[in-house]
Amino acid sequence: MIVLGTSQFFWSSLFLYLLAALLALFLTKSPKLCNLITQATCMLAAAAGLAAALVHIFSGRGSVVLADIRGTVPLMSLRVSMDNLSAFFLVGLSILTFCVSLYSISYLGHYVGKKNLSLFNFLYATFILSMALVFTSGNAVLFLIAWEAMSVISYFLVVYESEHEESLRAGSIYLIMTSIGTAFLLTAIMVMFSFTGSFNLSGDFGMIPEYARNLMFICLLLGFGMKAGIVPLHIWLPYAHPAAPSNVSALMSGIMIKTAIYGLLRFVLICLGVEKTWWGIVILVIGLVSAVFGVAYAFVESNMKKLLAYSSIENIGIILIGLGTGLIAAARGNQAVSAVAIAAALFHAFNHTFFKGSLFLGAGSVHFATHTKNMEEMGGLIKKMPATSLLVLGGSLSISALVPFNGFASEWLTFQAIFQSFSAGSAWINIAMMLAAALLALAGALAAACFMKLFGISFLGKARGESAAAAKEVPLPMVIGNGILVLLCLVLGLFPSLFIRLADGAVSDLTGQSLSGLLSGWLVLKAGPAADIAAGTISPLAMLIALVAVILAGMLVVRLVGGKYIERKYGTWDCGFNALNSRMQYSAMGFAKPIKIVFRFLFRPSRELKVDGSLTYYPERLEYTVKTESLVEKYLYAPLTDFVKRLSVKTKESIQTGSIRRYLAYILLALLVVMLYNVLYKGVG
């Protein structure tokens, strides 16, 4: 009997992803067969990857080196390893990949005869492969290679629909930002190497001086922050996610931006360690700003996928709130609170993988059926697409942190970590935590209203356009792929203690504190990090039962008091018009109007009214448009872009003179600088 372990499952997974990519290239002339075989192979690869991660987590083996490839170039070895943190993120990647691949079997059918599906499936499989290698890189060399491969491949997926100008623009912005982010990461890694003499991520980092650690932290935060989409480095995200095909958007938002969270945890907590409180405060403040900013701009969006993209910024902010709280507690020596906070960050990252993946797949189903992303052209879809409507509702309840779905459990745990961070003699920390709790509550309330708008405008009422009126339910594989994710959201919400088993090893590696005794229970989740701190207790299942009981009791009382139910039908009051029509409904813009007024300093709304007709008081047609502007784009990136352009022109005019003597002088100066650096570096050494 052959017993397969972590290594066998993992390498089988990588082989299958590579096989899927190669099969995609060989089946160019049969797009339907190519899509079916490639996606089925990716599903098998995802199943093998999930098995590898679960076997490792429950074996309790710690870090395992899966491969160590040493070449002839010194220090350029490639090490593949898996520890509890790698396995935890690999679980999310594998489950999401399985569901998205199942969904893609039918979803990609609308590209047949229009686009090169062979190229798409090749990029799709290698994209997932690169993310798997990011999570399992054992040294910085392989990490950077996998990171850059992931970034470049995802760029080509973003611009896959290159016939649309917005896709090309989104791809350009994404490529620029991700390249800048990689430059910061490379700087941090080279600083690390200059002091340790190694690219190994499990080496001795104690020899790195304090100023270099601070420099590394700043570079890592900027580098990973650009990929995560933190404010104000989020500029690429609202453009790239809506431009990419929806199955790619689900992967990018669901798991790719989590590679940045993984990188912060790996490099900051494990490699550098946490000694400075200000590291955590910086991350906490960025998280708070990102959460409120992201959900505010999501609320005013009418493009369904752009709304979801801004919502990803909000959820990254919530994850960073947990992470920042954990770093503050760790720097102050409170490992128990740090463990609860880091667990909250991991839990929300895990949950976001599922409910945001589900929502992007739901948006893809709506676009598949209606050929529009504009919610102003939707409406009434609950009658045309009942299964998709139910799944989008489940995802919306999850991301709104409502019982009994998983978003509630992870945000509740984040609040518990914040409340348990209060302590005597730390006024500034206590003020920061009070602000964090208040802004997290504000973000949660806005998120609930935002997704009430998304579901209500898109699925309820009457159809606002012909495409919505003619919509039909999507094929079964799309429903099942999305349905698995929503089911997982419900299961994790009802039984949040399942998360403890998955994350215990990762939290222990990150904080040195096991979750045993800190988080406990099966039907009841209890968060009590210390004897002197009042433990918080929550039971989503009990809350669900109580909610159902209250509803049933209310219905019973109404029945007993009101007597036998008699159905009566009346015409809806239509203000004197002949009949109700779609123009009498709330629009997405109208729903968001109160928030635009309250936060007008953030949106800077502008109004435009066009009147058609010769009569002043009885015009033939009115067109009222409200536009918002991004403060970050207008006041940060626009001036920065203009400055770079002017500087480039002046530099070109002064350097590219056509004089061979000046060019030779440049070369000589560069050689002298390199020689001087070598002399000084060796002298210091």
Side-chain angles (χ1 to χ4, degrees):
M1 180 178 179
I2 299 176
V3 180
L4 297 179
T6 300
S7 180
Q8 291 84 355
F9 279 123
F10 178 76
W11 290 114
S12 297
S13 176
L14 294 194
F15 171 77
L16 287 169
Y17 283 129
L18 185 60
L19 178 63
L22 295 176
L23 287 173
L25 295 179
F26 283 120
L27 297 172
T28 305
K29 297 182 179 180
S30 304
K32 292 184 178 179
L33 182 63
C34 169
N35 185 52
L36 176 62
I37 292 179
T38 302
Q39 298 300 332
T41 306
C42 286
M43 291 172 65
L44 292 174
L50 178 61
L54 293 178
V55 166
H56 182 85
I57 289 172
F58 293 114
S59 67
R61 294 180 61 190
S63 181
V64 177
V65 177
L66 301 175
D68 194 356
I69 305 171
R70 299 184 180 274
T72 56
V73 180
L75 303 172
M76 293 298 289
S77 64
L78 303 178
R79 175 177 293 181
V80 181
S81 63
M82 185 181 297
D83 60 8
N84 292 312
L85 184 63
S86 302
F88 177 81
F89 279 90
L90 195 59
V91 169
L93 170 64
S94 300
I95 294 175
L96 182 62
T97 297
F98 183 90
C99 296
V100 173
S101 296
L102 176 58
Y103 176 94
S104 300
I105 291 175
S106 295
Y107 172 75
L108 293 175
H110 71 286
Y111 287 117
V112 174
K114 301 177 183 177
K115 304 288 293 183
N116 187 342
L117 272 182
S118 176
L119 174 61
F120 178 89
N121 282 295
F122 171 79
L123 294 171
Y124 177 88
T126 52
F127 177 49
I128 301 167
L129 176 63
S130 65
M131 288 190 286
L133 289 175
V134 167
F135 290 139
T136 54
S137 298
N139 61 10
V141 176
L142 180 58
F143 182 88
L144 278 177
I145 293 173
W147 183 271
E148 193 63 13
M150 175 186 70
S151 301
V152 173
I153 295 170
S154 57
Y155 160 76
F156 286 112
L157 288 170
V158 168
V159 300
Y160 180 68
E161 297 182 359
S162 55
E163 66 274 14
H164 301 303
E165 184 179 349
E166 60 268 23
S167 296
L168 296 176
R169 182 170 183 264
S172 299
I173 296 173
Y174 172 59
L175 189 62
I176 292 170
M177 295 301 292
T178 195
S179 299
I180 295 173
T182 302
F184 279 111
L185 294 182
L186 181 60
T187 301
I189 289 172
M190 294 311 298
V191 171
M192 176 190 78
F193 175 78
S194 66
F195 288 100
T196 63
S198 171
F199 290 110
N200 193 350
L201 297 181
S202 58
D204 181 14
F205 295 89
M207 61 184 68
I208 302 178
E210 181 180 340
Y211 76 90
R213 286 173 176 268
N214 292 333
L215 176 61
M216 284 184 64
F217 170 75
I218 294 172
C219 289
L220 291 170
L221 183 59
L222 292 173
F224 289 126
M226 287 192 183
K227 184 67 71 178
I230 64 173
V231 175
L233 308 178
H234 68 286
I235 183 70
W236 65 271
L237 201 148
Y239 293 101
H241 284 11
S246 293
N247 55 346
V248 174
S249 300
L251 287 174
M252 291 180 69
S253 184
I255 195 65
M256 187 194 76
I257 61 176
K258 307 305 187 322
T259 59
I261 302 300
Y262 167 83
L264 282 173
L265 293 169
R266 170 72 63 190
F267 282 87
V268 175
L269 266 76
I270 295 180
C271 295
L272 292 181
V274 182
E275 299 176 355
K276 301 297 179 181
T277 305
W278 70 267
W279 289 10
I281 293 175
V282 168
I283 290 180
L284 177 64
V285 171
I286 291 174
L288 292 171
V289 173
S290 298
V292 175
F293 182 95
V295 73
Y297 273 89
F299 194 93
V300 300
E301 272 298 331
S302 297
N303 183 309
M304 182 180 284
K305 290 186 68 176
K306 201 166 185 178
L307 182 152
L308 294 175
Y310 273 116
S311 172
S312 292
I313 299 171
E314 178 227 350
N315 282 274
I316 285 294
I318 295 174
I319 295 168
L320 291 181
I321 290 171
L323 178 57
T325 304
L327 292 183
I328 292 171
R332 300 170 66 198
N334 195 338
Q335 298 303 321
V337 174
S338 177
V340 173
I342 297 300
L346 287 174
F347 197 8
H348 199 75
F350 196 63
N351 290 339
H352 184 257
T353 295
F354 299 142
F355 58 63
K356 186 51 65 67
S358 167
L359 286 167
F360 266 113
L361 294 186
S365 296
V366 171
H367 185 239
F368 184 92
T370 64
H371 309 292
T372 182
K373 303 171 191 174
N374 187 1
M375 290 187 290
E376 303 286 16
E377 300 176 11
M378 300 177 191
L381 293 179
I382 194 170
K383 297 178 181 178
K384 303 291 184 178
M385 307 172 66
T388 298
S389 301
L390 181 63
L391 296 177
V392 173
L393 177 61
S396 298
L397 293 174
S398 299
I399 201 170
S400 300
L402 297 178
V403 176
F405 290 89
N406 56 351
F408 170 80
S410 55
E411 288 198 29
W412 174 85
L413 193 58
T414 304
F415 275 112
Q416 290 299 309
I418 292 173
F419 295 150
Q420 292 164 3
S421 297
F422 289 93
S423 61
S426 304
W428 288 108
I429 299 298
N430 291 343
I431 292 173
M433 291 305 157
M434 285 190 287
L435 184 63
L439 291 180
L440 180 57
L442 174 63
L446 287 175
C450 175
F451 283 91
M452 182 190 301
K453 164 191 162 180
L454 181 145
F455 186 80
I457 299 297
S458 303
F459 293 94
L460 303 182
K462 292 180 174 291
R464 294 174 173 82
E466 295 180 0
S467 58
K472 295 181 180 179
E473 187 58 86
V474 295
L476 189 60
M478 295 173 68
V479 174
I480 295 175
N482 196 354
I484 295 173
L485 293 175
V486 175
L487 180 62
L488 286 171
C489 291
L490 182 60
V491 170
L492 284 169
L494 291 174
F495 308 106
S497 296
L498 291 172
F499 162 79
I500 299 174
R501 296 293 307 277
L502 287 175
D504 189 24
V507 174
S508 180
D509 290 346
L510 291 168
T511 65
Q513 178 78 45
S514 173
L515 290 178
S516 301
L518 303 180
L519 299 178
S520 58
W522 181 250
L523 298 178
V524 177
L525 184 63
K526 180 178 179 181
D532 59 338
I533 298 178
T537 303
I538 194 73
S539 175
L541 183 59
M543 294 178 68
L544 176 62
I545 294 173
L547 181 63
V548 172
V550 169
I551 293 174
L552 292 177
M555 294 175 63
L556 180 61
V557 170
V558 171
R559 184 67 179 271
L560 293 175
V561 174
K564 186 177 180 180
Y565 175 74
I566 301 175
E567 182 179 359
R568 299 179 177 88
K569 294 184 178 180
Y570 297 95
T572 305
W573 180 52
D574 56 10
C575 303
F577 290 91
N578 293 330
L580 292 174
N581 60 63
S582 60
R583 295 183 63 193
M584 298 176 184
Q585 303 176 116
Y586 248 113
S587 64
M589 182 181 70
F591 193 95
K593 182 68 177 291
I595 297 297
K596 288 180 182 178
I597 294 174
V598 173
F599 294 99
R600 60 181 301 109
F601 68 93
L602 189 61
F603 304 119
R604 301 293 179 90
S606 59
R607 302 167 182 82
E608 182 180 353
L609 179 63
K610 293 182 180 180
V611 181
D612 293 339
S614 57
L615 298 177
T616 303
Y617 296 103
Y618 298 97
E620 296 177 2
R621 183 172 178 269
L622 291 174
E623 183 177 336
Y624 180 73
T625 305
V626 178
K627 297 180 181 179
T628 59
E629 62 183 25
S630 172
L631 295 182
V632 175
E633 288 187 43
K634 183 175 182 179
Y635 296 106
L636 177 61
Y637 287 100
L640 183 61
T641 301
D642 292 339
F643 172 76
V644 171
K645 288 180 178 178
R646 291 196 303 269
L647 181 63
S648 300
V649 171
K650 291 183 178 180
T651 303
K652 178 180 178 181
E653 292 173 351
S654 60
I655 292 179
Q656 294 185 351
T657 60
S659 171
I660 188 66
R661 295 178 180 178
R662 182 169 293 186
Y663 294 158
L664 291 173
Y666 293 154
I667 296 173
L668 177 60
L669 181 61
L671 288 173
L672 289 174
V673 170
V674 172
M675 292 171 63
L676 180 62
Y677 172 79
N678 275 331
V679 170
L680 293 176
Y681 181 78
K682 290 181 179 179
V684 172

